[in-house]
Amino acid sequence: MASGHCTTRSKYPVADLVAFADAGITTFDCADIYTGVEELIGHFRKRYRDLRGEEALVRIKVHTKFVPHSDMLPRIKSYVERVIDLSLRRLNQERLDLIRLHSWEYQDPRWLEPALWLDDLRRTGKIDTIGGANFDTYHMLEILNAGVPLTSMQVQYSLLDRRPARRMAAAAIEYGIPLLCYGTMAGGFLGDRWLGAPEPTEQLENRSLVKYKRIIDDVGGWDLFQALLTMLRQIADRHGTDIATVASAAMLERPGVAAVIIGARDLSHLASNAAISSLALTAEDVDLIAELLAEARQLEGDVYGLQRDGQNGDRTRKW
């Protein structure tokens, strides 16, 4: 399954979202901290209901996030409800389909409280389901042990960043928590554009590329990365598709993975995004990828650990 991560770079974003929904991509990922995106999806939902009717609107699911600031923990109950009410108004919903909690840091012993208050709002009917985003395995289990029924976990997971395979995937399977993967294209690095390209030496154009270039360096460097792209291109040729589609479809083969989250900037990405879930890699394809990746180094730590270290002050490993 592929779901869309909504951005606002299109000239006609609502019309583009309608086209994605009509093509079968009916789950959209956003967040309260993505400026203007919840409002955009709210406008889209109204437009889709007008065009396709109430029954069609029921198929549209929105995953949004709640990312509390640590300085709000002393008054977290009222803060949680206020933010959820704001998301409901923006999205034009009476109940959120799924709210995904992310926590910037774990040092404050009250880090768990937002999950408990979200669950309280679930019981009152403002939230249908609760998920997590970028929790490591230990803290995911802490949320579950507190009685909060997590229904999914969003993680960075790709052929380059395989940290979820270390512990998270097994725990997710055991507790019935599907993994929803972002970063499967490594910010665009896992695409035909970079096949045969020289290693970049100048400043990359955005933080996402900087992050994924560091991952490439850590797992084996540019030569190994180019070998992986060459392999993916050969597989793509056999299936009549492109590298990015193969890279994302390969993650759907991983244990515990239920869906990949793909950037949906405009209609130019519609055909390739829709093709991901229909691409069936062969056993030979999977074995070839695994054989090549056996030469790669594993990234350190659990899910999101290196990024979290950077956010909390370890500037030597800022991701």
Side-chain angles (χ1 to χ4, degrees):
M1 172 183 169
S3 62
H5 173 76
C6 186
T7 64
T8 57
R9 297 188 181 186
S10 169
K11 288 184 178 180
Y12 310 101
V14 171
D16 287 354
L17 290 171
V18 169
F20 271 89
D22 286 346
I25 298 177
T26 55
T27 301
F28 298 90
D29 175 73
C30 64
D32 63 317
I33 59 172
Y34 300 164
T35 303
V37 176
E38 286 187 333
E39 292 96 329
L40 168 63
I41 293 181
H43 292 315
F44 153 66
R45 292 185 74 258
K46 290 180 181 178
R47 181 60 175 160
Y48 203 70
R49 180 185 59 204
D50 292 342
L51 290 172
R52 306 290 184 259
E54 195 69 40
E55 289 186 7
L57 181 63
V58 173
R59 297 187 296 113
I60 305 299
K61 302 299 179 183
V62 181
H63 296 182
T64 193
K65 297 183 184 69
F66 173 56
V67 188
H69 295 286
S70 58
D71 59 359
M72 299 302 294
L73 290 176
R75 49 189 183 280
I76 191 64
K77 179 181 179 181
S78 60
Y79 173 62
V80 170
E81 188 161 16
R82 186 167 70 250
V83 173
I84 296 307
D85 285 343
L86 181 58
S87 290
L88 286 168
R89 290 195 299 272
R90 288 170 172 171
L91 291 167
N92 188 33
Q93 291 184 301
E94 295 182 0
R95 181 175 65 177
L96 296 178
D97 298 318
L98 182 145
I99 189 74
R100 198 174 300 289
L101 175 65
H102 172 67
S103 179
W104 291 117
E105 58 185 52
Y106 304 133
Q107 285 84 349
D108 193 308
R110 295 168 295 184
W111 71 268
L112 184 59
E113 290 186 22
L116 300 176
W117 289 117
L118 287 176
D119 194 37
D120 186 66
L121 294 178
R122 180 189 64 84
R123 288 191 295 269
T124 65
K126 289 190 175 184
I127 297 169
D128 188 13
T129 57
I130 300 172
N134 296 322
F135 285 97
D136 60 26
T137 309
Y138 173 83
H139 289 88
M140 178 185 76
L141 296 177
E142 285 288 287
I143 296 173
L144 291 172
N145 289 335
V148 179
L150 292 179
T151 59
S152 62
M153 182 62 63
Q154 180 176 311
V155 294
Q156 181 175 295
Y157 199 5
S158 70
L159 294 175
L160 295 170
D161 181 359
R162 294 171 289 159
R163 284 174 292 175
R166 183 172 291 124
R167 293 186 60 215
M168 174 69 76
I173 293 171
E174 179 180 354
Y175 289 90
I177 303 174
L179 298 181
L180 309 184
C181 306
Y182 70 92
T184 58
M185 299 178 187
F189 271 117
L190 288 173
D192 285 280
R193 170 190 172 188
W194 291 97
L195 177 61
E199 184 172 7
T201 56
E202 298 182 355
Q203 180 67 33
L204 292 163
E205 60 189 74
N206 58 56
R207 292 177 60 188
S208 177
L209 287 175
V210 170
K211 174 180 68 174
Y212 289 111
K213 176 56 169 61
R214 289 177 177 173
I215 289 176
I216 290 169
D217 294 341
D218 284 355
V219 300
W222 199 253
D223 288 344
L224 179 65
F225 171 62
Q226 285 297 316
L228 175 60
L229 289 184
T230 300
M231 174 65 69
L232 295 177
R233 182 65 260 170
Q234 293 170 357
I235 295 172
D237 286 341
R238 289 198 290 272
H239 292 277
T241 187
D242 55 30
I243 288 175
T245 300
V246 173
S248 292
M251 301 316 298
L252 291 174
E253 303 286 337
R254 297 302 172 98
V257 173
V260 295
I261 301 171
I262 305 300
R265 295 180 180 178
D266 54 49
L267 286 182
S268 66
H269 297 95
L270 175 54
S272 59
N273 287 359
I276 292 170
S277 58
S278 61
L279 175 58
L281 298 181
T282 66
E284 179 186 4
D285 296 333
V286 174
D287 289 345
L288 287 172
I289 294 171
E291 183 179 348
L292 191 146
L293 290 177
E295 303 175 23
R297 293 188 294 267
Q298 289 279 358
L299 295 178
E300 300 173 0
D302 204 331
V303 173
Y304 209 69
L306 295 170
Q307 295 93 321
R308 196 176 297 280
D309 287 344
Q311 290 167 351
N312 291 338
D314 181 2
R315 301 308 175 188
T316 65
R317 292 299 295 132
K318 178 64 175 174
W319 285 53

